[in-house]
Amino acid sequence: SRGVLFVRMEQTRRNFTDQEIRLCRILADVAGQALQRADEYAELAEAARRDPLTGLYNVRAFHRALAEEIERSERTGSSFSLLMIDIDYLKRVNDRFGHLAGDRVLQRVAEVLAEQVRGIDTVARYGGEEFAVLLPETLNERALVVAERLRSRVAQTGH
């Protein structure tokens, strides 16, 4: 049960008629169906923003986040940084071990990237073997530190 429909008659102290009770049940059913559809829509909307392989944001969602960050930066004067990450030699992995192995590499890199960023950062799969990381409120010097940490952690997962 997700909610309660509370109906009360203010003017009279009589019991509800059978017809009024049926009407309340219909209203409760309609409200429940609307809530269920809203949940399903929210799930679909979220799925549309995610890359199905990695679970990261997809390029379209990333471009929206980037546009919002640019607008915020112009409005408030805040800084942000953008990291572009490309996996070297993924084609070799695919050719030698198959695309399932390549997919697993992409998934593991995505996990590492997502684990290593702040909640306000946006990590997205930008292309086949490319990732983008949007770092709000981050100057270049700090972005270099983050980039090196990400590179190092990704490199460590290969061993």
Side-chain angles (χ1 to χ4, degrees):
S1 169
R2 200 163 144 201
V4 174
L5 175 65
F6 178 76
V7 180
R8 183 172 117 184
M9 284 191 272
E10 291 287 329
Q11 301 300 322
T12 64
R13 297 234 177 236
R14 68 175 174 79
N15 290 332
F16 286 103
T17 67
D18 288 343
Q19 186 177 4
E20 289 169 332
I21 291 171
R22 281 194 301 275
L23 176 62
C24 288
R25 285 186 175 139
I26 290 169
L27 290 173
D29 286 344
V30 169
Q33 290 170 9
L35 285 172
Q36 183 175 351
R37 279 194 294 280
D39 283 347
E40 290 166 358
Y41 175 80
E43 287 176 24
L44 287 173
E46 182 62 19
R49 291 190 294 266
R50 297 287 179 171
D51 171 62
L53 178 65
T54 64
L56 296 177
Y57 287 108
N58 61 29
V59 68
R60 190 173 66 235
F62 175 76
H63 281 280
R64 261 194 306 275
L66 179 59
E68 290 172 10
E69 193 58 35
I70 290 170
E71 189 275 327
R72 188 175 75 82
S73 177
E74 289 173 345
R75 188 180 71 248
T76 66
S78 63
S79 61
F80 70 91
S81 293
L82 173 62
L83 306 178
M84 298 301 293
I85 300 164
D86 185 85
I87 301 174
D88 292 335
Y89 312 117
L90 187 64
K91 184 178 177 344
R92 288 186 196 171
V93 171
N94 286 335
D95 291 345
R96 185 166 180 193
F97 301 106
H99 286 277
L100 288 178
D103 287 352
R104 184 63 193 125
V105 169
L106 290 168
Q107 290 167 333
R108 185 63 189 127
V109 169
E111 290 170 10
V112 170
L113 296 177
E115 290 168 359
Q116 294 297 315
V117 298
R118 304 168 299 180
I120 63 169
D121 301 332
T122 301
V123 182
R125 183 169 178 204
Y126 197 78
E129 60 194 56
E130 300 164 333
F131 296 88
V133 182
L134 180 61
L135 304 167
E137 301 291 332
T138 306
L139 296 171
N140 291 348
E141 299 80 28
R142 180 71 187 138
L144 288 171
V145 170
V146 172
E148 177 53 29
R149 185 180 74 233
L150 294 175
R151 187 208 61 75
S152 174
R153 295 286 161 85
V154 168
Q156 289 172 6
T157 64
H159 299 108

